[in-house]
Amino acid sequence: MTATATAATTEFDQNLSDAFSERLVGMLNEAALSMMISIGHRTGLFDTIATLPPSSSQQIADQAELDERYVREWLGGMVTGRIVRYDAETKTYHLPDEHARWLTREFSPENIAVTHQWTSVLGHVESQVVDKFHNGGGVHYECFHRFHEVMAAESAQTVVAALTQHILPLAPGLRDQLQQGIDVLDIGCGSGKAACALAAAFPNSRFVGYDLCDDAIEAAQAEADKLGLTNIRFQARDITQMNEPEAYDLVTAFDVIHDQKDPATVLDQVYATVRRGGTFLMQDIRASSHVEKNLDHPIGTFLYAISTMHCMTVSLAQEGEGLGAVWGEELAVEMLTDAGFADVRVETLEHDIINNYYITSK
């Protein structure tokens, strides 16, 4: 080994090490805060505090109908996390309007507290995922506690809220077709929020939703029943085996394809089921297929984490490809083209930093 090489391997940058240590300590606080934000959302505490003047922990607990001791300890985390303000003289707590905007249901779809629920949802399967690091394979959908509930809440904010005003206009003429009446299939429909929203907005069209999970289909049907919809039906089905040639004028896939055990086959099936002149509208994660191009992604680390803990592993659990959430725009366009779709357009929305919208026709 040369002297230069030896120096390169033994030199230690104490400042760099100290900075990294401080960063790790900061991560402990931020990770803990994320879990506490999830609790604040689920209990409705953020919504309660936002409506109150500066109040004591007992007043907040009474208003929220929660146990004061738990509320007080949670408030301690919110104060030290610089989310809730505390007046030591009056012993009262206050949520600034500037913070409430991003933490309360009143301001949906800007409520980022919804997304912080993933911290506990994914933590629930950490041991199972660690086992798969050692032994391979994947963690099945049924192992995920509250997954469909949280996914539906996120979908309601990112997709459903933007459907008619922002997403559908990305495909010229599509709204007019829906108003006149066409056949629509939503694959991987989950709890059916998007499909039901479309069915309610366009009563002349006919809607079908497929999902692999029985519990998701039950939730979707309950949603349709609650809304009194008669132009939609849901079915638990493996979408790699649809075999419905040219049955639909529009097929939608919202945050679905990268989770599949065999995404290429699903896209082949979609191509086959779209009628001539029909449209495929696919929403998926906005990222590159190349990790070096994701270094400046605003939530790149989160995407790789949720992919490791859910998207990739549920596919591998079915002996699938394990494509993962960060399969990226380049690969998505390539796979759509390989399935037979031509002239794939990739669209984005100004208010949505997370998703790409792929629009193509047959």
Side-chain angles (χ1 to χ4, degrees), residues 254-310:
F254 298 113
D255 204 19
V256 167
I257 300 301
H258 67 258
D259 285 343
Q260 300 304 306
K261 65 179 179 181
D262 188 352
T265 295
V266 170
L267 292 176
D268 287 342
Q269 286 284 316
V270 169
Y271 183 81
T273 201
V274 174
R275 290 171 178 153
R276 291 290 172 185
T279 301
F280 179 40
L281 170 59
M282 181 180 86
Q283 169 255 319
D284 218 294
I285 300 299
R286 186 190 308 178
S288 172
S289 305
H290 310 290
V291 66
E292 69 273 13
K293 294 184 178 181
N294 293 323
L295 288 173
D296 296 324
H297 196 295
I299 56 168
T301 302
F302 172 75
L303 293 178
Y304 281 107
I306 201 168
S307 183
T308 303
M309 301 296 292
H310 179 266

Side-chain angles (χ1 to χ4, degrees), residues 85-165:
R85 292 176 182 164
Y86 179 64
D87 187 320
E89 291 187 3
T90 61
K91 298 189 183 326
T92 57
Y93 304 84
H94 173 64
L95 181 66
D97 291 343
E98 295 82 358
H99 295 185
R101 174 181 176 180
W102 305 102
L103 294 169
T104 58
R105 288 170 174 83
E106 178 185 356
F107 290 98
S108 180
E110 296 176 335
N111 182 6
I112 302 176
V114 170
T115 306
H116 280 271
Q117 293 177 97
W118 290 119
T119 303
S120 55
V121 169
L122 300 180
H124 185 78
V125 296
E126 179 185 350
S127 294
Q128 292 98 310
V129 172
V130 168
D131 175 74
K132 303 310 174 186
F133 269 81
H134 290 288
N135 300 306
V139 179
H140 286 275
Y141 274 107
E142 56 265 26
C143 298
F144 288 82
H145 177 61
R146 297 183 63 239
F147 174 80
H148 288 297
E149 175 190 339
V150 176
M151 192 70 225
E154 275 231 288
S155 176
Q157 293 202 143
T158 59
V159 175
V160 177
L163 258 177
T164 56
Q165 185 176 356

